[in-house]
Amino acid sequence: MKNAASMIEFSALFFLFLSALISGSYLFETTHLTLTEADSTISGRDRNLIETPLIEGSETVDGASVVQSIFHIAEINADIQVDGLLYDKNLNMDYTDVSMINVNDMYRTEYQRDSNGILQKLIFRRV
């Protein structure tokens, strides 16, 4: 009788382990599929499109945002002009001086795009 109870307990534990193993495998597979789908969605995004709730050209930003845009010029992949001073999209940030931009001033933005709608130049004019 003791062996039968031990065998039933062992069987119950075995089925519990088996169900945990199957559940873990299922969760691993669904997580992998979800991450693969998210990765393909992110890589399929058009990096030239910028979603903004504002009408282009009507936005006003502070000088700190202008400086931040210059430091992210490689990601923007467009020239940036601030009050007539042009920052080339291929500039080396180690040798770039942005000290003439007052972070407390406000700037109006303008966008110049080519015929395909790709951003070519981002222009900031002091308000």
Side-chain angles (χ1 to χ4, degrees):
M1 193 64 166
K2 185 176 180 181
N3 288 338
S6 175
M7 188 62 167
I8 291 173
E9 182 181 343
F10 178 74
S11 296
L13 289 174
F14 176 75
F15 284 120
L16 184 63
F17 172 75
L18 190 61
S19 63
L21 189 64
I22 291 170
S23 296
S25 174
Y26 174 74
L27 288 174
F28 177 78
E29 183 65 26
T30 55
T31 302
H32 174 70
L33 290 174
T34 303
L35 290 175
T36 303
E37 183 67 28
D39 187 42
S40 67
T41 301
I42 289 170
S43 66
R45 253 183 76 207
D46 186 1
R47 303 253 186 239
N48 295 322
L49 296 178
I50 299 172
E51 298 175 16
T52 176
L54 300 172
I55 297 172
E56 191 172 288
S58 68
E59 121 183 79
T60 304
V61 296
D62 61 353
S65 298
V66 173
V67 172
Q68 183 180 11
S69 296
I70 293 171
F71 279 104
H72 290 284
I73 198 166
E75 296 168 19
I76 296 172
N77 195 26
D79 297 335
I80 296 178
Q81 182 177 344
V82 182
D83 285 336
L85 183 61
L86 183 66
Y87 295 93
D88 188 67
K89 63 183 170 185
N90 299 317
L91 68 87
N92 185 347
M93 288 310 302
D94 294 333
Y95 303 109
T96 302
D97 182 22
V98 293
S99 62
M100 73 286 298
I101 299 173
N102 186 351
V103 294
N104 296 320
D105 285 346
M106 298 302 289
Y107 292 85
R108 183 165 305 280
T109 59
E110 294 178 28
Y111 303 91
Q112 287 184 356
R113 299 183 182 275
D114 65 3
S115 60
N116 294 325
I118 297 173
L119 184 63
Q120 296 297 311
K121 187 189 287 187
L122 180 57
I123 302 170
F124 294 102
R125 289 199 168 94
R126 193 174 313 185
V127 177

